[in-house]
Amino acid sequence: MTAATPPTLFPRATAASEYADPPRDADAVLDGLDPEQREVALALHGPVCVLAGAGTGKTRAITHRIAYGVRAGILQPASVLAVTFTNRAAGEMRGRLRQLGAGGVQARTFHSAALRQLQYFWPKAVGGELPRLAERKVQLVAEAAARARIRLDRNELRDVTGEIEWAKVTQTVPEDYPAAAALAGRQAPRDAAEIARIYGGYEQLKRDRGVIDFEDVLLLTVGVLQDRPDIADQVRGQYQHFVVDEYQDVSPLQQRLLELWLGDRDNLCVVGDASQTIYSFTGATPDHLIDFRRRHPGATVVRLIRDYRSTPQVVHLANGLLAQARGRAAEHRLELVSQREPGPEPEYTEHPDEPAEAEGTARRIRELIAAGVSPGEIAVLYRVNAQSELYEQALADAGVPYQLRGAERFFERPEVREAGLLLRGAARAGGSDPALDDADLASQVRAVLGTRGWTPEPPAGSGAVRERWESLAALVRLAEDFARARPGAGLADLVAELDQRAAVQHAPTVDGVTLASLHAAKGLEWDAVFLVGLTEGMMPITYAKTDQQIEEERRLLYVGVTRARRHLALSWSLSRAPGGRPNRRPSRFLNGLRPGSGGSRGSGGRALTATGAGAGAVAGVERAASRPRGRRAPVRCRVCGRTLTDAGEIKLMRCEDCPCELDEALYERLRDWRAERARDLGQPAYCVFTDKTLLAIAEAVPGTASELSGISGVGRRKLDSFGADVLALCAGGEFADTAQDATEK
């Protein structure tokens, strides 16, 4: 297959295109589809399986399929249920269907569709009102743990909550959790028996308080449909045709619900890509997608491999990444073929430490913005959310606006709520406000929001004021797009549009660089993507132990790579903090892909060394890696003698759960001192010492420089910089006193 499709055939969607006139008839719906997408659109009967690679236009194919069926009179809009996994994706699907003239189709998440049915049928199936949804699941889990006399720190609480969610979507009851977790190879955050006790207590608390959680919504809907054939028949009478997007992410519970919706019919179209399965920790499995033809022998199977999103250079790297994959999902990988013009080669950059990596990324982003790339078309993607802080600071220091993906929802921001109320009030006032008389819609919105902080030019700097302005500016841009597409529209029409968007969390674009985890970036795309922190222990993450877990980490990186349209940068740092030991290695997933890594597949990427990295060049790392190293003696727990392998335990010189003699007062003094030094240096606190290092110091209470340097994390440079302060604190000095003495001197 060659890249023969004209680039203009698949223009990128714009905000204004959401309000364009629908196609004139059913045949016009098919205009602009490539041969494979057209095959999907015309396959309206029987089971259909669409294997769609990243950037191949899967949403376009399935929405045009539904719209063609509706416009041709083959499908009744109210009889179609399209399900996906996020409110944003469902909202986008509804918007596209409305644009294509198929506005009556139900497009929802699994949970939303199930909740709607449960609310309707609960009085008939059970009686009374449906129990309310628990607002904060974590609080109930914490209370259940406390009742079981099990102490959980914040991270353990989050992870145990995740285990409970996994158990429920795999239909595992509390007493069966230990065996099920062992069978699935779960890396449980606590003893499985303890989690089972917490899980059982959590379920009892919900019953006592008459609340349900989101997993209960699916479980109860499945229960009602299984136990009440009359209700199941009523649901099946309503919905005759089903479409499931992101089918590789369905859990066993969602699959069971889908089967109950279908009954003995086969009017089902599923769309997915096994190579983008990245949520197995929540119970998702690609097996349902991979085994679709076995369950439906007569299914129509269509493969979408023409990539309209990314340049050949980005696609080449993505294909090379998957070429090294192993396992069942890898056997079903799709080799993508870019349909775009060539672009720049991916950049590989090494940095001496994490702050330097963040600063270098911010500099490169400023260069792209200066070259004409919009900040809203740039993303920085990382493995865990804790990595965002450095990049927030670096972008703020560089004067680059940014937004955190996965933070507060746009329509829940206070300034957006307030703006909505003001616009609603202005719409009701009609022509009674002289300031709005004879003004067009966009000018009216600017006038209203100008009273609450919007200005034509953004405020200087970053922080809350800038974030508020960005929210209001996004509403202004939305109003401008809406006005261009609907010249006769007024404020009341815009308010209705905002209400509709808020209901499905279809937020307008905020013009700032996106900071997001790789998981949160799924389903999104940008002109430029920076993949940061690509070191062993972070990518793959350190707790990925099994072959299956390692392969999921590879797929996660693949998802990150395929978010980029044109510019792609991959970076890593040799140490965590300035002056730290440069003992990190680039991710194994880049071997054979990045220049100089051996066995290169000729990706052609540019290898860069950040300014000031010195001997940290890629080639230098390869030479260092090839030199023989002395064998380090195993580190044993100073309490029980067990050999330690976890980095945090090695730092503490003991097992996490072994008893310790912590000088809590010293630990607090060390934390206060660290915070002050970090402020003085203008660096994150962990660049001085990590929490684990402070704990180790507070446990060991060293009295000499030699004893202090024996603690993992206290290298020569840190000993020279901070040793005197730390030893003074360990000797009993108060931080406030030493600070005052220093000031007086």
Side-chain angles (χ1 to χ4, degrees):
M1 185 180 297
T2 59
T5 307
T8 55
L9 190 57
F10 294 93
R12 192 192 319 162
T14 63
S17 70
E18 297 180 40
Y19 311 111
D21 292 332
R24 63 186 181 278
D25 54 31
D27 288 340
V29 171
L30 302 177
D31 291 346
L33 299 182
D34 70 24
E36 294 79 23
Q37 292 171 337
R38 190 182 182 92
E39 184 180 354
V40 172
L42 293 173
L44 292 172
H45 300 288
V48 178
C49 180
V50 182
L51 302 175
T56 57
K58 68 178 180 64
T59 305
R60 180 184 182 88
I62 59 175
T63 51
H64 281 67
R65 176 183 186 272
I66 295 170
Y68 177 76
V70 169
R71 298 290 297 273
I74 300 170
L75 303 176
Q76 294 301 311
S79 72
V80 180
L81 178 59
V83 289
T84 186
F85 284 83
T86 66
N87 285 320
R88 183 198 59 79
E92 180 185 354
M93 192 178 291
R94 274 195 295 272
R96 292 201 190 192
L97 289 169
R98 190 169 62 237
Q99 180 187 338
L100 292 169
V105 173
Q106 291 290 315
R108 296 180 175 274
T109 64
F110 270 101
H111 284 91
S112 173
L115 180 60
R116 193 163 181 259
Q117 293 173 19
L118 199 59
Q119 288 170 331
Y120 183 80
F121 290 111
W122 188 264
K124 179 179 179 181
V126 180
E129 291 188 1
L130 179 70
R132 64 183 176 86
L133 280 169
E135 293 183 2
R136 294 206 63 192
K137 180 186 299 179
V138 169
Q139 288 181 343
L140 287 174
V141 175
E143 189 171 341
R147 288 190 176 188
R149 298 189 176 183
I150 299 171
R151 290 188 60 185
L152 300 176
D153 63 29
R154 185 171 58 182
N155 290 332
E156 288 176 324
L157 180 59
R158 180 199 62 208
D159 293 343
V160 168
T161 301
E163 285 301 293
I164 291 174
E165 291 172 349
W166 172 83
K168 297 186 75 166
V169 300
T170 55
Q171 303 175 76
T172 303
V173 296
E175 54 267 29
D176 293 342
Y177 170 79
L183 185 63
R186 302 287 292 180
Q187 296 288 321
R190 295 290 293 249
D191 180 75
E194 288 184 328
I195 294 177
R197 285 167 55 201
I198 297 171
Y199 179 13
Y202 168 76
E203 292 297 308
Q204 185 61 52
L205 271 175
K206 289 196 290 112
R207 287 192 292 271
D208 292 345
R209 296 179 184 177
V211 298
I212 59 176
D213 59 26
F214 271 105
E215 288 71 43
D216 291 329
V217 170
L218 299 182
L219 284 164
L220 290 170
T221 306
V222 165
V224 167
L225 295 178
Q226 284 181 160
D227 297 343
R228 293 291 300 268
D230 57 325
I231 292 176
D233 287 342
Q234 195 171 340
V235 172
R236 293 166 190 158
Q238 169 71 50
Y239 296 115
Q240 307 290 327
H241 197 96
F242 297 86
V243 177
V244 184
D245 194 12
E246 304 289 2
Y247 192 55
Q248 77 279 352
D249 289 332
V250 296
S251 68
L253 181 56
Q254 290 164 332
Q255 176 65 21
R256 179 60 185 143
L257 178 58
L258 178 62
E259 291 166 355
L260 287 166
W261 282 339
L262 271 169
D264 58 1
R265 300 166 299 173
D266 62 0
N267 282 329
L268 170 66
C269 174
V270 300
V271 189
D273 178 9
S275 296
Q276 296 188 67
T277 305
I278 59 173
Y279 294 108
S280 66
F281 61 90
T282 67
T285 170
D287 290 346
H288 304 301
L289 176 66
I290 293 171
D291 294 336
F292 189 83
R293 277 190 297 178
R294 182 178 58 78
R295 297 195 315 275
H296 303 277
T300 299
V301 178
V302 184
R303 289 174 173 80
L304 303 183
I305 62 170
R306 301 175 195 253
D307 188 326
Y308 299 98
R309 175 188 299 159
S310 304
T311 63
Q313 288 76 11
V314 173
V315 168
H316 183 76
L317 175 56
N319 286 336
L321 191 60
L322 283 190
Q324 303 176 12
R326 300 291 180 268
R328 196 158 186 248
E331 294 170 2
H332 295 79
R333 71 184 183 91
L334 299 167
E335 185 90 12
L336 301 178
V337 180
S338 175
Q339 307 296 298
R340 294 195 56 176
E341 294 296 320
E345 296 289 348
E347 297 178 359
Y348 298 83
T349 312
E350 186 172 272
H351 300 270
D353 51 66
E354 287 184 3
E357 184 177 5
E359 291 164 10
T361 300
R363 276 196 306 273
R364 186 72 183 97
I365 287 173
R366 285 200 64 174
E367 292 172 2
L368 286 176
I369 294 172
V373 180
S374 166
E377 290 293 353
I378 302 173
V380 178
L381 307 181
Y382 34 75
R383 178 60 180 85
V384 296
N385 286 318
Q387 294 172 272
S388 74
E389 183 180 359
L390 277 174
Y391 293 90
E392 292 177 60
Q393 187 62 54
L395 290 173
D397 290 345
V400 176
Y402 67 86
Q403 59 172 330
L404 280 171
R405 181 94 192 163
E408 186 179 34
R409 289 180 174 182
F410 180 84
F411 288 103
E412 293 172 3
R413 297 176 186 174
E415 65 270 19
V416 174
R417 288 175 177 265
E418 183 183 26
L421 291 174
L422 289 172
L423 292 171
R424 191 180 305 280
R428 287 174 180 165
S432 61
D433 187 344
L436 303 180
D437 286 349
D438 301 324
D440 59 33
L441 175 59
S443 298
Q444 290 177 2
V445 172
R446 295 188 202 103
V448 171
L449 300 187
T451 65
R452 289 298 184 271
W454 178 82
T455 55
E457 295 298 323
S462 58
V465 173
R466 178 61 183 250
E467 289 174 7
R468 178 183 177 87
W469 184 90
E470 292 286 358
S471 297
L472 298 179
L475 292 174
V476 170
R477 286 193 297 273
L478 176 63
E480 292 169 347
D481 291 333
F482 190 74
R484 278 195 293 271
R486 305 222 349 227
L491 271 177
D493 300 307
L494 178 64
V495 168
E497 173 68 16
L498 290 175
D499 288 344
Q500 203 168 43
R501 283 172 168 265
V504 299
Q505 292 299 323
H506 186 190
T509 303
V510 176
D511 195 26
V513 173
T514 297
L515 298 178
S517 71
L518 287 163
H519 283 101
K522 180 74 167 63
L524 303 174
E525 59 184 82
W526 296 269
D527 281 345
V529 169
F530 290 79
L531 301 175
V532 299
L534 301 181
T535 60
E536 284 292 305
M538 191 60 74
M539 177 55 66
I541 199 76
T542 186
Y543 52 75
K545 304 293 187 186
T546 67
D547 290 344
Q548 293 88 345
Q549 291 167 341
I550 295 295
E551 287 307 316
E552 179 142 341
E553 292 288 298
R554 188 194 307 274
R555 294 194 296 269
L556 187 57
L557 181 56
Y558 172 79
V559 166
V561 167
T562 54
R563 300 310 95 194
R565 298 190 190 106
R566 181 172 174 81
H567 302 278
L568 178 62
L570 305 93
S571 64
W572 60 92
S573 53
L574 298 179
S575 67
R576 183 174 186 183
R581 189 175 301 166
N583 56 1
R584 287 179 168 179
R585 292 181 293 120
S587 170
R588 71 189 73 173
F589 299 144
L590 302 182
N591 290 344
L593 299 174
R594 63 185 178 88
S597 61
S600 175
R601 292 168 49 87
S603 65
R606 291 198 293 147
L608 306 176
T609 301
T611 303
V618 174
V621 173
E622 296 305 319
R623 288 195 299 272
S626 67
R627 290 197 295 268
R629 297 182 179 179
R631 295 178 66 88
R632 292 183 60 184
V635 179
R636 300 188 183 279
C637 174
R638 53 187 165 83
V639 180
C640 70
R642 182 178 70 87
T643 300
L644 303 177
T645 56
D646 178 78
E649 292 183 338
I650 291 172
K651 190 179 289 289
L652 293 175
M653 296 289 289
R654 64 169 176 82
C655 305
E656 284 277 7
D657 51 359
C658 276
C660 68
E661 296 181 1
L662 172 66
D663 187 332
E664 295 187 5
L666 172 58
Y667 181 59
E668 290 305 318
R669 292 199 304 273
L670 287 167
R671 285 175 60 87
D672 291 342
W673 164 82
R674 180 183 65 173
E676 186 65 29
R677 290 308 307 267
R679 279 194 293 271
D680 291 344
L681 295 170
Q683 295 178 343
Y686 69 73
C687 289
V688 179
F689 284 121
T690 66
D691 286 345
K692 278 288 196 300
T693 301
L694 292 189
L695 276 173
I697 293 170
E699 289 181 15
V701 194
T704 66
S706 177
E707 291 174 354
L708 179 59
S709 66
I711 294 173
S712 178
V714 185
R716 168 55 58 186
R717 185 165 176 177
K718 291 202 175 186
L719 187 66
D720 293 341
S721 300
F722 309 125
D725 286 358
V726 171
L727 289 173
L729 289 168
C730 289
E734 290 292 333
F735 166 62
D737 294 340
T738 56
Q740 185 177 358
D741 291 345
T743 303
E744 289 173 354
K745 290 177 182 177

